[in-house]
Amino acid sequence: MSKRIFHILLAFLFLLPFSINAARLTRYVNPFIGTGGHGHVFLGANVPFGMVQLGPTQPTRGWDWCSGYHYSDSVLLGFSHMHLSGTGIGDLGDVTMLPVLQPQQHEVLFRHADEQVRPGYYAVTLQNGIKVELTATERAGLHSYTTPSPSDSLFVRLDLKLGIGWDGLEACRATLENPTTISGHRFSRGWANRQKVFFVAEFSRPISNTSLLADTLSVLSFAPSNQPLLVRVGLSAVSVDGARANLRAELNHWNFRRVALQADRKWETQLGKIIVPTHSDPTALHILYTALYHTMIAPSLFSDVNGDYRGADGQVHHADHATYTTWSLWDTYRAAHPLMTLIHPERQSDLAATLIDIWHQQGKLPVWHLMGCETDCMVGCPGIPVLADMVLKGLTDRNAEALQAMKASALMDERGLGLLKQYGYIPCDLFEEQETVGRGLEYALADWCVARVAERLGNTDDKQLFDQRAQAYRHYFDPATGFMRGKDSHGRFSFSQSTSQGDGVFFSPFHTAPINRDYTEGNAWQYTWLVPHDVNGLVSLFGSEQRFVSKLDSLFIVSSDLGGEAPPDISGLIGQYAHGNEPSHHILYMYNYVGMPWKAAPLLRRIMNELYHDAPDGLSGNEDVGQMSAWYVLSAMGLYQVEPAGGMYIIGTPLFSQMTLRLAQGRTFTISAKNNSPENIYVQQALLNGKPYTRSYIMYEDIIRGGRLELLMGSSPSSFGTLTADRPHSCHQ
C-alpha cells in the first residue's frame, strides 16, 4: 500500500461516524448506569484514571447531585472539567463553559433522547439548538460547539465561580492572553479544603468580544461560522505554565475525531483486560463492562507531564512516578484495589509511591485524599490495607518505607487511636465523635495488615505488637447478644495487659437494627461481621460454627427496618444485609470459612441479578468511586478477597461460562464454569491447570502465574470446599 493511499484511508477512518467502535468492548459500556437513584456516578468524557472528567454540570439540588449530574434533571449550567464519581459528598465542577445563543442565558434545557455517551465521548444537542461534543486526554479536554445555523453568533460563558455541592470559591482569575487564548486559576474550599486548579483554554477561532459580567464570569463572543467552534483546555494543580505544558504535550491539534478515537482505544485496551464470551447475556455484558469502566475513573492522575504535583503539604513537589488523587480508601480497599492488583499491576508501583509520598508530607497515610487535601472522611486507617496489599503481592519495592508509613499511621493519637492504645479499645463514653465500634473494627483489620507486612519483612517485634492489636475486635463482642457493641471505660487496661473482653460495660440501651452512635453508616447487624482479617477468631466468639452460621443465616431474613434516622447510604437490603454500603460486601464469602460455600451461592446470584441493572437506577447504592462496581466484577468472576491484604481470593459462583484475565507479561488466567446456568449455581468440582482442586479459595500467586481454573457447576449443593483442609483459614499470630 502506498503512503498516499494509507493516509487517505486513515483520514477516511477519522471522518467515519463515531459508531466505528460498534464491534469493540466499549460498545457494552452504558455510562448512564448509576446516574439515577443514589449511584452518583460521573457522566461525560474521560480516559482511564485521567485527571480530566469533562462533562455536564447541573444545579445542585441535593445529595444525589454529588457528581454534578443526575438522570432526573433536565437543566444544565455548563460543562465542567473535573467531577467526582460515586462519592457521598460533592466537590469539583471546576472551569465551567456553557455555549449559548444569547449572552444573558445562564442555563439550558436538554433531553436524554438528545444525549450520546460512550467511553471517552459525550454529546448533546441542547434545547437552544447548539450541538455539544466533548472528549478528553489525561490532562486536557476538547469541546466542539456547532450552532443551529451558520449565521448564528455564538457566546461561551466561562464560569469560575460555579462548583458542585458545598464547594466555595476563594479566588479566581481569567486572563485574555491573546485573541484565542484565556488562562487563569480557580482556588476553592470545600471537601478539599485548599483546592487549586490552573487552566489554559485555547479557541479554534478568535474571540470577537469579551464581557466581564462579574469577577468570576466572562462571556466570550464569536462571529458566525460554518465550522464548529473548538475549545481545548489543559489543567494543572501546579500552575498555568503546567497547564500549558500539559495541553501542548497531549492536545496540540484540532482533530476532534482523532482525540475521541484515541480515548476510545485507551478504554478498549483497559476493558480488554477481562474477556468474556460475546454470546453471553447482553444485559450481563453491559453491566459487567460498565462496572469495569466505573472502576477506572479513580484514583485519578494528579501530576503534570513533567512530574510536578501539589503535595499533601500544599507545596509543589516533583516525582519520577505518576502521582494520583481521589483516594476513597474506606470504600475501595475492600474490592476495587484487590481487583486492580490483578488487572492493573503496572500502576501499582506508582500508586504505592503516591501513598508513601503523602505519608512523608502529612505524617500519615491518606484517609480520604482529594486534590492534595486530606479530608479525614470516614473511619479507620484505610490506606494501610491498600499499601499492605501491594507489599504482600510484591507490587512495590519500597517495602521498608511502606512499613514505616503504616506504623506511623497506626500509632498516632488522633481519631480515637490514643484511646485505643490506652484502653485496648475505644470507650464510647470518652470519645465525643462516637462510632467507636466502627472505628475500632477498622483499626483492628488495619493492624492485622501491619502485622503481615512486618512478618514478611522479618520484623518480629512489630509483628507481635500489631497481631495483638488486631485482636481488639474481641472487646466489642457481646456473647450475651451475639453482636458487636459499644463499651464504656469502666474496664481500663492496655494491650500489654489483656486482650480479653475486659470489665467495661456495654452501652445501653441497645437496639440491633436502628442506626445508632456506635457504628459508621450501619448498625449492629452489619458491623458484627467486620472482622475480615480473622473470620475463624470471630467464629470462636460465637462458641461454635453452628451458632455462627445460625446468626449469619438470620442476617438475610430479619426485618429490613433501619429506623427513621437511617441515611440513604444504607440501601440494597436483603434482611439486614446492606449491599448498598461497603461494610457488608465481604459477608457472604464468610460461609466458605465454615465449609458452607453453597449457602453463599444463591445469595450471590440474587445480588448480581437483582441489585445491578442496565438502567440509570442500576446500582443499589452509592458507587463509592468504583467499589460497588468492583464487587460485581470480582463476584461475576467467582472470586472475592475477604482478608484486607495478601491475596486469598474466595471462590463464589461465577456468573459467566468463561472469563479470562489478561495479566502481566502476556499471561492469562481463565475461569471457566461448565454447565453454568441460572439453575446451576453450585460448584461441584474444580480443576486448576488440569489437576483436581478442592479448596474453596485460590491464592493471588496461583492466579498471576497464569493458567486455568475449571469449575463444574450443578443445581444442588455439593461437598466442594466443605472439608476443614479445603476451607480458607485466617492468618493470625
Side-chain angles (χ1 to χ4, degrees):
M1 181 185 294
S2 70
K3 284 187 176 181
R4 184 171 184 272
I5 295 175
F6 173 78
H7 287 300
I8 291 173
L9 178 59
L10 187 63
F12 173 72
L13 289 175
F14 280 129
L15 291 172
L16 283 176
F18 196 66
S19 59
I20 189 173
N21 69 355
R24 301 162 69 84
L25 293 177
T26 50
R27 71 185 172 125
Y28 295 116
V29 176
N30 176 7
F32 285 109
I33 294 177
T35 59
H38 298 319
H40 297 188
V41 303
F42 160 68
L43 185 78
N46 65 330
V47 296
F49 306 105
M51 175 187 292
V52 167
Q53 303 87 32
L54 175 57
T57 297
Q58 300 171 336
T60 298
R61 307 187 195 276
W63 187 62
D64 284 324
W65 278 259
C66 286
S67 74
Y69 180 99
H70 194 265
Y71 195 80
S72 64
D73 211 334
S74 60
V75 177
L76 294 182
L77 298 179
F79 302 93
S80 306
H81 290 78
M82 305 182 81
H83 292 83
L84 294 171
S85 185
T87 59
I89 301 177
D91 206 330
L92 305 186
D94 297 271
V95 189
T96 303
M97 295 183 177
L98 178 67
V100 291
L101 300 177
Q102 302 295 329
Q104 68 273 19
Q105 188 175 13
H106 63 278
E107 61 182 37
V108 294
L109 297 176
F110 76 103
R111 301 182 308 167
H112 294 303
D114 297 324
E115 287 181 294
Q116 299 176 52
V117 58
R118 37 181 90 89
Y121 175 82
Y122 174 89
V124 62
T125 299
L126 304 171
Q127 291 292 283
N128 61 15
I130 298 174
K131 182 177 181 180
V132 176
E133 295 180 277
L134 309 173
T135 189
T137 67
E138 282 75 8
R139 300 172 179 86
L142 181 59
H143 309 233
S144 173
Y145 304 145
T146 304
T147 55
S149 169
S151 62
D152 289 328
S153 295
L154 179 64
F155 303 89
V156 176
R157 294 169 64 92
L158 172 61
D159 193 337
L160 297 181
K161 180 179 181 180
L162 185 67
I164 293 171
W166 302 267
D167 179 287
L169 180 68
E170 292 206 319
C172 69
R173 174 177 294 176
T175 300
L176 182 66
E177 294 187 357
N178 57 56
T180 60
T181 304
I182 290 181
S183 64
H185 64 258
R186 182 179 190 269
F187 300 164
S188 61
R189 179 178 295 272
W191 195 12
N193 59 11
R194 46 173 172 72
Q195 180 188 351
K196 294 187 177 183
V197 176
F198 300 86
F199 71 93
V200 171
E202 297 179 345
F203 299 84
S204 61
R205 59 179 190 260
I207 302 167
S208 58
N209 187 42
T210 301
S211 300
L212 183 65
L213 299 186
D215 292 340
T216 60
L217 176 65
S218 300
V219 177
L220 315 176
S221 304
F222 296 88
S225 172
N226 59 2
Q227 296 295 318
L229 173 68
L230 299 176
V231 190
R232 56 191 185 194
V233 182
L235 295 188
S236 168
V238 174
S239 65
V240 167
D241 287 342
R244 196 186 320 278
N246 292 340
L247 186 60
R248 289 288 176 270
E250 296 182 2
L251 189 51
N252 62 357
H253 61 84
W254 295 105
N255 191 324
F256 185 95
R257 296 302 177 196
R258 188 199 307 177
V259 180
L261 284 168
Q262 288 171 342
D264 179 80
R265 291 189 183 111
K266 290 174 183 177
W267 280 112
E268 184 71 18
T269 297
Q270 299 303 322
L271 294 171
K273 292 181 176 180
I274 295 181
I275 300 296
V276 299
T278 55
H279 59 73
S280 303
D281 173 35
T283 298
L285 285 172
H286 287 156
I287 296 171
L288 174 71
Y289 280 108
T290 304
L292 186 57
Y293 164 81
H294 280 145
T295 67
M296 294 187 280
I297 294 177
S300 51
L301 192 64
F302 196 50
S303 51
D304 290 345
V305 291
N306 67 351
D308 289 349
Y309 69 98
R310 191 166 298 278
D313 55 3
Q315 303 302 308
V316 174
H317 297 263
H318 178 83
D320 294 329
H321 58 81
T323 297
Y324 292 85
T325 187
T326 317
W327 291 92
S328 180
L329 297 163
W330 182 85
D331 308 290
T332 55
Y333 81 77
R334 306 166 200 266
H337 282 282
L339 173 64
M340 289 179 67
T341 61
L342 291 174
I343 63 174
H344 304 302
E346 74 284 353
R347 293 186 186 270
Q348 301 307 301
S349 178
D350 288 352
L351 292 170
T354 299
L355 294 173
I356 293 170
D357 289 346
I358 291 173
W359 162 61
H360 280 302
Q361 293 157 12
Q362 69 177 25
K364 66 180 181 183
L365 289 171
V367 178
W368 211 123
H369 233 251
L370 177 61
M371 296 299 293
C373 305
E374 180 58 75
T375 72
D376 275 324
C377 188
M378 307 312 295
V379 299
C381 291
I384 289 177
V386 173
L387 184 56
D389 200 33
M390 296 174 187
V391 172
L392 296 174
K393 292 174 177 174
L395 295 170
T396 174
D397 58 2
R398 297 175 68 173
N399 296 340
E401 267 187 297
L403 179 58
Q404 293 177 41
M406 288 186 271
K407 286 174 55 181
S409 303
L411 295 175
M412 300 184 78
D413 289 331
E414 64 171 22
R415 304 170 66 243
L417 284 165
L419 290 170
L420 178 64
K421 287 190 288 187
Q422 184 178 357
Y423 286 85
Y425 64 100
I426 306 176
C428 60
D429 59 326
L430 298 182
F431 191 66
E432 294 181 358
E433 296 181 43
Q434 302 183 3
E435 300 180 349
T436 56
V437 176
R439 294 172 186 271
L441 296 178
E442 292 282 355
Y443 287 140
L445 66 87
D447 286 335
W448 177 90
C449 295
V450 182
R452 300 286 67 76
V453 172
E455 182 179 34
R456 174 66 61 90
L457 300 184
N459 191 322
T460 304
D461 291 342
D462 285 339
K463 173 194 177 300
Q464 182 177 359
L465 170 64
F466 286 98
D467 263 333
Q468 193 175 35
R469 284 170 55 110
Q471 295 295 300
Y473 72 87
R474 294 175 177 269
H475 300 307
Y476 302 102
F477 186 78
D478 176 14
T481 63
F483 288 100
M484 296 288 181
R485 296 180 56 184
K487 180 180 282 188
D488 68 17
S489 59
H490 293 162
R492 181 168 182 168
F493 51 88
S494 68
F495 284 110
S496 61
Q497 296 170 324
S498 171
T499 56
S500 67
Q501 291 164 5
D503 299 322
V505 177
F506 289 110
F507 179 79
S508 293
F510 174 64
H511 303 287
T512 59
I515 308 305
N516 64 56
R517 51 173 281 162
D518 293 328
Y519 312 97
T520 305
E521 295 181 2
N523 61 22
W525 273 111
Q526 293 137 24
Y527 268 85
T528 292
W529 317 101
L530 191 57
V531 191
H533 63 291
D534 190 11
V535 180
N536 298 117
L538 178 61
V539 171
S540 71
L541 292 182
F542 281 90
S544 70
E545 286 187 357
Q546 182 179 359
R547 290 178 182 174
F548 174 86
V549 172
S550 177
K551 188 78 167 188
L552 187 52
D553 288 344
S554 64
L555 172 68
F556 302 98
I557 59 176
V558 296
S559 169
S560 297
D561 183 19
L562 297 172
E565 301 300 319
D569 304 69
I570 309 173
S571 54
L573 291 166
I574 301 175
Q576 283 290 330
Y577 171 87
H579 191 71
N581 209 22
E582 282 61 39
S584 289
H585 277 190
H586 69 288
I587 295 175
L588 275 170
Y589 292 94
M590 286 180 154
Y591 278 117
N592 289 49
Y593 287 78
V594 290
M596 297 183 180
W598 52 271
K599 278 186 172 273
L603 288 164
L604 286 168
R605 288 291 182 100
R606 179 180 174 183
I607 292 169
M608 286 186 275
N609 291 327
E610 296 182 9
L611 298 184
Y612 291 85
H613 304 284
D614 185 15
D617 191 5
L619 296 172
S620 62
N622 192 334
E623 167 63 16
D624 279 317
V625 197
Q627 169 61 25
M628 192 71 65
S629 291
W631 186 97
Y632 183 90
V633 173
L634 283 173
S635 294
M637 193 185 301
L639 302 176
Y640 195 85
Q641 181 174 299
V642 171
E643 288 186 345
M648 180 187 291
Y649 290 83
I650 309 304
I651 296 175
T653 174
L655 193 62
F656 296 91
S657 61
Q658 181 170 295
M659 184 179 288
T660 298
L661 307 184
R662 289 178 173 167
L663 308 171
Q665 299 175 336
R667 295 187 295 267
T668 63
F669 185 79
T670 297
I671 303 166
S672 67
K674 295 184 177 180
N675 301 327
N676 200 19
S677 71
E679 296 75 33
N680 293 347
I681 64 175
Y682 302 99
V683 178
Q684 308 291 302
Q685 301 174 23
L687 297 174
L688 180 60
N689 299 324
K691 298 179 180 179
Y693 190 81
T694 57
R695 297 173 179 173
S696 67
Y697 64 93
I698 185 170
M699 298 304 297
Y700 171 78
E701 292 80 7
D702 293 322
I703 297 173
I704 63 169
R705 274 195 292 265
R708 188 178 188 89
L709 177 65
E710 298 176 73
L711 304 174
L712 177 64
M713 310 301 291
S715 60
S716 301
S718 74
S719 61
F720 175 77
T722 60
L723 297 178
T724 301
D726 294 330
R727 306 173 186 177
H729 291 272
S730 301
C731 173
H732 63 94
Q733 299 199 71

CSV table of all heavy atoms in Angstrom, one decimal, residues 78 124 236-237 278 325 435 459 526 551 574 669 712 721:
chain,number,residue,atom,x,y,z
A,78,GLY,N,-23.6,24.1,32.5
A,78,GLY,CA,-22.5,24.1,31.6
A,78,GLY,C,-21.7,22.8,31.6
A,78,GLY,O,-22.3,21.8,32.1
A,124,VAL,N,-24.4,16.2,23.2
A,124,VAL,CA,-25.8,16.5,23.5
A,124,VAL,C,-26.2,17.7,22.6
A,124,VAL,O,-25.4,18.6,22.4
A,124,VAL,CB,-26.1,16.9,25.0
A,124,VAL,CG1,-25.2,18.1,25.4
A,124,VAL,CG2,-27.5,17.1,25.3
A,236,SER,N,-4.0,21.8,35.4
A,236,SER,CA,-2.9,21.5,36.3
A,236,SER,C,-3.2,21.9,37.7
A,236,SER,O,-4.0,22.9,37.9
A,236,SER,CB,-1.6,22.3,35.8
A,236,SER,OG,-0.6,22.2,36.8
A,237,ALA,N,-2.7,21.2,38.7
A,237,ALA,CA,-2.9,21.7,40.1
A,237,ALA,C,-1.7,22.5,40.5
A,237,ALA,O,-1.6,22.9,41.7
A,237,ALA,CB,-3.1,20.5,41.0
A,278,THR,N,-18.7,-13.2,23.9
A,278,THR,CA,-19.7,-12.2,23.5
A,278,THR,C,-21.1,-12.7,23.2
A,278,THR,O,-22.0,-11.9,23.0
A,278,THR,CB,-19.2,-11.4,22.2
A,278,THR,OG1,-18.9,-12.4,21.2
A,278,THR,CG2,-17.9,-10.7,22.5
A,325,THR,N,-4.7,11.2,42.8
A,325,THR,CA,-5.5,11.7,43.8
A,325,THR,C,-6.9,11.0,43.8
A,325,THR,O,-7.1,10.0,43.0
A,325,THR,CB,-5.7,13.2,43.7
A,325,THR,OG1,-6.4,13.7,44.8
A,325,THR,CG2,-6.5,13.6,42.4
A,435,GLU,N,-19.2,6.5,67.0
A,435,GLU,CA,-18.9,5.5,66.0
A,435,GLU,C,-17.7,4.6,66.5
A,435,GLU,O,-16.9,4.2,65.7
A,435,GLU,CB,-18.6,6.1,64.6
A,435,GLU,CG,-19.7,6.9,64.1
A,435,GLU,CD,-19.4,7.5,62.7
A,435,GLU,OE1,-18.2,7.5,62.3
A,435,GLU,OE2,-20.3,8.0,62.0
A,459,ASN,N,10.3,-8.5,60.8
A,459,ASN,CA,10.3,-7.6,62.0
A,459,ASN,C,9.4,-8.3,63.0
A,459,ASN,O,8.2,-8.1,63.1
A,459,ASN,CB,9.8,-6.2,61.6
A,459,ASN,CG,10.0,-5.2,62.7
A,459,ASN,OD1,9.9,-5.6,63.9
A,459,ASN,ND2,10.3,-4.0,62.3
A,526,GLN,N,-25.0,-5.3,60.8
A,526,GLN,CA,-24.0,-5.2,59.7
A,526,GLN,C,-22.6,-5.2,60.2
A,526,GLN,O,-21.7,-5.7,59.5
A,526,GLN,CB,-24.3,-3.9,58.9
A,526,GLN,CG,-25.6,-4.0,58.1
A,526,GLN,CD,-26.4,-2.7,58.1
A,526,GLN,OE1,-25.9,-1.6,58.4
A,526,GLN,NE2,-27.7,-2.8,57.9
A,551,LYS,N,-26.5,-17.4,63.2
A,551,LYS,CA,-26.5,-15.9,63.2
A,551,LYS,C,-26.4,-15.3,61.8
A,551,LYS,O,-27.1,-14.4,61.4
A,551,LYS,CB,-25.4,-15.4,64.1
A,551,LYS,CG,-25.5,-13.9,64.4
A,551,LYS,CD,-26.5,-13.6,65.5
A,551,LYS,CE,-26.4,-12.2,66.0
A,551,LYS,NZ,-27.3,-12.0,67.1
A,574,ILE,N,-31.1,-6.9,51.9
A,574,ILE,CA,-31.7,-8.3,52.0
A,574,ILE,C,-31.7,-8.6,53.4
A,574,ILE,O,-30.6,-9.0,54.0
A,574,ILE,CB,-30.8,-9.3,51.1
A,574,ILE,CG1,-30.8,-8.9,49.7
A,574,ILE,CG2,-31.4,-10.7,51.3
A,574,ILE,CD1,-29.9,-9.7,48.8
A,669,PHE,N,-5.2,-15.8,32.8
A,669,PHE,CA,-5.8,-16.7,33.7
A,669,PHE,C,-7.3,-16.8,33.4
A,669,PHE,O,-8.0,-15.8,33.3
A,669,PHE,CB,-5.7,-16.3,35.2
A,669,PHE,CG,-6.2,-17.2,36.2
A,669,PHE,CD1,-5.4,-18.3,36.5
A,669,PHE,CD2,-7.4,-17.1,36.8
A,669,PHE,CE1,-5.9,-19.3,37.5
A,669,PHE,CE2,-7.9,-18.0,37.7
A,669,PHE,CZ,-7.1,-19.1,38.1
A,712,LEU,N,-16.9,-27.1,37.7
A,712,LEU,CA,-18.1,-27.8,37.2
A,712,LEU,C,-19.3,-27.4,38.1
A,712,LEU,O,-19.2,-27.5,39.3
A,712,LEU,CB,-17.8,-29.3,37.3
A,712,LEU,CG,-19.0,-30.2,36.9
A,712,LEU,CD1,-19.4,-30.0,35.5
A,712,LEU,CD2,-18.7,-31.6,37.2
A,721,GLY,N,-15.4,-27.8,49.0
A,721,GLY,CA,-14.9,-26.8,50.0
A,721,GLY,C,-15.5,-27.0,51.4
A,721,GLY,O,-15.3,-26.1,52.2
